[in-house]
Amino acid sequence: MTDSMIILLAGIFLPLFPMSMVFNAIIEKIKYVWVRAVLFVVWPLCGLLIVFNSNVVIPGWLLPLALATSALYALRMLSLRGVDQWCGFLATSLWSLLWLAVMQDATAVLLNSYALSMSVPLVLLVLLSAGLEQRFGAAYTGLYGGLGRAIPRFAGILVTVVVAAIATPLFPTFFIMLDMVVETVSATPLTAMVLLLIWLLWSWAGARLIQGLIVGRASDVKIADMGNTTTSLFSLALLALIVAGVYLGGVIL
Amino acid sequence: MERLIIVIAVLPLVSALLIQLFAGRIGRDIARVSVAFTTLSFLLSSLLLWWALIGYGPQTLSLGYAGTIVLFDPLSTLLAAIILGISLIVHLYSVRYMAEEAAYGQFFVLLDLMTAALLFMVIAGDLITLVIAWYLVGVLLYFLLGQDTRSQTAYRFAFWTLITYRIGDLPLILAAALLYNAYDTWSLATIFAEIMADPYAHEVMGLPLTEVVAALIGFAAFARSAQFLLHTWLPYTMDGPTPVSALMHAGIVNAGGFLINRFAPVFIHSGGVLNWIFVVGLITAVFGSLLMLTQNDIKKALGYSTMGQMGFMIMECGIGAFSLAIYHMFAHGVFKGTMFLSAGSVINNARQDDGIPKDELYTFAVEKQPNKARQPWLLMAAITLAVPLVILVFAHLLVAENYYQKQGAIVLLFFGWVTGAQLIFATYRMRSQNVWRLVGLSVLSLVVVVLGYVFISHAFDLFLYPDPAFRAQLYSAATIDLLPFEVLVVITTLIIVSGWVVTYYMEQSDYSRRQRTKRLWLNFYALISREFYISDIYTRLARTLLAISGRLNVWLRWL
């Protein structure tokens, strides 16, 4: 297989526009939540597997394409209302940045941990999205709102998961982004600035998602909140993410 | 003993954790847990401040993981005590004020987390801890301002705050990354030591690293401290709970001044960056004050008042008076915090009694009953110009005789003179029945303010920057060439004096002449009342970006 073919194939899993559309099309079609969750974990790992097993030489033009893909999806996230779609777009925006780490000659172990750290909050969000569908019939922002008062426990977990997904300290993605900025700022300051702009767009999109779901008056219809066990499991997962973040930060910075 | 500084920052975190874990079991008593931890933390911080005052430190303390370092130095101990003092008052106030809130426990968790983030920010001895704390303050403030999840308005303006703070995070992250790449360490103390040893050892895109970093730090400070063009969030974030407004206006918004002080060794070698900081601060002070005067909404007026004060604070940094900015931060924090927290009582009292004293001062100041005979204009003009100048010169001579060799001191003197003169000038224009009494009161208040300001700021100077050579370097870094400086002083004086003359002329002129300028004033007022259309422009830009995002999604079939 030629290098271009390998990059084309890897570009589906470590998203490069327009191959990035494949993942989002598949996510839209899959209705089973657990399959969707597994896909969020496996997809970037497949991309990394292809890259590491092929010894392909990464061409220079790939860096701007990866950045452009990430920026494009970050920008497109601003106008999304579907929570699953939001997860898919954020995943695309995050995973395309893995190309930067690949080009910086990061080890396979480190890159796999990057990919997992990026995916885990999204998996949690996919599960929460299923919870919303179960309660309201759909997981859309601005459709019902008021979750902050109606189901406060669910809302608290949802907000924290979104915050984790958009690279907020002390979650792993924050340290990954910081590392990428540190690695690029001296050699290619423009890349570092684009990375920061993408990061800013994630924050904006995250705030819009939170506001579309949490804010507003609660409906009069009684909705079941998250159970104790589920809340504890989600809390433990988030705590584990923070611990992983602090550990990863210590390793890479 | 110095390790206690770590304990004071960790205590609010422990409190937040306990509340989160036991909120269901102990109900409303969770507030007591929060208050107890904050009180303990405040007492410890006071003890640490005392140690710093009697000469312990400065010291860097390693936390033993990933190069995490905290600083025990005058700046960190002083600001930790201030933050905890204000936080304790806000905690005590919130116990009853927030009692009706559904998310009572969550509020105290967020308040404790915010206190911890602010403490880690001021004691951070490495760039990563500083960046993390700086970033988290913005995120936590977003949720504190949006405490009432029913209010769309509260969240809308909380979002404005978040996005401005995130914009401000970016230059700080860039600065941290540049410094790390250049010096291969995250430790602030090591970086500063290397900069002091060889300030121009590194370059970025052909520019000295120190200048680039100073500019980036300045920009981060501008966003945090609501400087002009990054200020629009501040006057609108009044839908959050009152204790949050108090904490925000008294503490969080001042962080820009702290950041510039923390990076003081960089600013010494920053070329003309301090001059630009001065200009931005000046513009912010003028616009903030101007917009404050024209608001008919008291809350927005308070917001713009804070903006003006932040402008002064940044301006003080821009003239090299770094410690004065810290004093300003402290004084403004106490003053504005008191205003916010007493607002409820004032409204309550006003409902029962308007509290208007029917005395001479009231009739003069509010009802403006004119005096038939006025004092000679020339006499009043002479007093107006001479009295503040004498007070300021006298006050500064008491502190240091060589004060006038520093441009920063001259700028401050000039500012004090103009303000004092303006006060007496306004007194004359108000046509009191007893002008001499009012002039006396004005002079007295000016003496108190100036002496207090000069002596206390001098004390802050000695405490925060005990090395006289370093202090001199700070002032020197803010200095511009003598000729442009003198030209600027003359031009500014001419503008101010001509403003006074025009005002006097307008007072004396007849009605028809005033009519001619009325339209001009109305247009100017319309511009101010729309706040120079800055928020409108930002809203339009944001909507355009959202429209582009939506259009792209349609074109790409949402894939």
Side-chain angles (χ1 to χ4, degrees), chain A residues 80-95:
Chain A
L80 290 183
R81 291 181 65 196
V83 180
D84 285 327
Q85 213 167 25
W86 194 90
C87 291
F89 277 32
L90 181 57
T92 312
S93 186
L94 280 164
W95 295 338

Side-chain angles (χ1 to χ4, degrees), chain B residues 382-536:
Chain B
I383 292 172
T384 301
L385 297 177
V387 171
L389 201 60
V390 169
I391 294 167
L392 288 158
V393 169
F394 176 66
H396 280 82
L397 276 176
L398 284 177
V399 173
E401 281 184 11
N402 63 349
Y403 226 68
Y404 305 105
Q405 292 165 13
K406 296 166 184 166
Q407 280 184 1
I410 294 171
V411 174
L412 279 179
L413 282 173
F414 185 80
F415 169 72
W417 171 65
V418 169
T419 317
Q422 186 70 45
L423 177 71
I424 300 177
F425 185 72
T427 307
Y428 176 69
R429 278 187 60 220
M430 282 197 277
R431 300 180 184 184
S432 165
Q433 284 180 341
N434 189 344
V435 170
W436 293 115
R437 183 183 164 194
L438 256 296
V439 170
L441 282 172
S442 306
V443 170
L444 183 68
S445 57
L446 193 67
V447 168
V448 172
V449 168
V450 168
L451 288 182
Y453 212 66
V454 168
F455 281 112
I456 296 170
S457 71
H458 192 60
F460 270 65
D461 228 4
L462 294 177
F463 176 55
L464 293 173
Y465 300 105
D467 180 7
F470 190 85
R471 288 204 302 268
Q473 277 182 299
L474 278 176
Y475 277 107
S476 165
T479 305
I480 58 170
D481 291 340
L482 201 60
L483 185 66
F485 179 74
E486 284 174 351
V487 169
L488 278 173
V489 169
V490 171
I491 291 173
T492 317
T493 310
L494 285 175
I495 291 171
I496 291 165
V497 172
S498 47
W500 289 342
V501 171
V502 169
T503 313
Y504 174 75
Y505 177 73
M506 294 289 289
E507 281 285 307
Q508 302 295 316
S509 64
D510 58 18
Y511 179 76
S512 60
R513 278 182 186 167
R514 264 189 264 171
Q515 282 296 309
R516 266 182 268 162
T517 53
K518 197 175 176 183
R519 179 172 290 278
L520 190 70
W521 281 113
L522 272 176
N523 287 335
F524 183 58
Y525 181 75
L527 191 66
I528 295 174
S529 66
R530 290 301 304 157
E531 297 156 50
F532 297 99
Y533 296 93
I534 295 167
S535 303
D536 298 280

Side-chain angles (χ1 to χ4, degrees), chain B residues 222-263:
Chain B
F222 294 161
R224 190 58 50 111
S225 290
Q227 296 302 289
F228 184 64
L229 293 183
L230 291 167
H231 67 277
T232 45
W233 58 277
L234 186 60
Y236 288 91
T237 45
M238 297 296 176
D239 278 327
T242 300
V244 178
S245 298
L247 188 65
M248 189 173 82
H249 286 256
I252 299 163
V253 78
N254 299 308
F258 154 74
L259 193 69
I260 293 175
N261 266 272
R262 178 54 84 213
F263 282 85

Side-chain angles (χ1 to χ4, degrees), chain A residues 21 73 75-76 79 85 89 149 159 167 169 182 185-186 196 199-200 203-204 207-208 211 215-216 246-247 250, chain B residues 65-66 132 135-136 142-143 148-151 155 159 166 174 180-181 186 545-546 549-550 553 556 558-559:
Chain A
M21 294 165 99
Y73 278 87
L75 177 64
R76 290 175 62 195
S79 56
Q85 213 167 25
F89 277 32
R149 287 292 162 108
V159 165
V182 169
V185 71
S186 291
L196 290 171
W199 202 349
L200 182 68
S203 300
W204 187 354
R208 281 178 67 82
Q211 280 172 229
V215 185
V246 174
Y247 176 74
Chain B
Y65 179 72
I132 290 174
Y135 191 128
L136 283 178
Y142 171 69
F143 290 114
D148 182 4
T149 53
R150 289 166 304 183
S151 170
Y155 261 89
F159 169 72
R166 286 291 292 113
L174 269 182
Y180 177 76
N181 273 319
W186 295 106
L545 212 57
L546 289 173
S549 168
N553 278 330
L556 298 171
W558 303 89
L559 295 175

Side-chain angles (χ1 to χ4, degrees), chain A residues 109-193:
Chain A
V109 176
L110 194 64
L111 273 167
N112 284 332
S113 64
Y114 276 20
L116 278 175
S117 305
M118 289 169 169
S119 298
V120 172
L122 295 169
V123 170
L124 297 178
L125 198 53
V126 166
L127 298 178
L128 289 171
S129 169
L132 285 174
E133 275 180 39
Q134 200 181 18
R135 286 172 176 83
F136 301 98
Y140 282 106
T141 67
L143 197 62
Y144 24 85
L147 299 188
R149 287 292 162 108
I151 40 175
R153 232 185 273 173
F154 188 102
I157 294 289
L158 178 73
V159 165
T160 321
V161 169
V162 172
V163 163
I166 57 173
T168 307
L170 302 156
F171 295 101
T173 333
F174 168 81
F175 293 102
I176 295 169
M177 287 302 288
L178 192 58
D179 183 48
M180 284 184 183
V181 173
V182 169
E183 291 293 328
T184 52
V185 71
S186 291
T188 48
L190 189 65
T191 305
M193 279 188 248

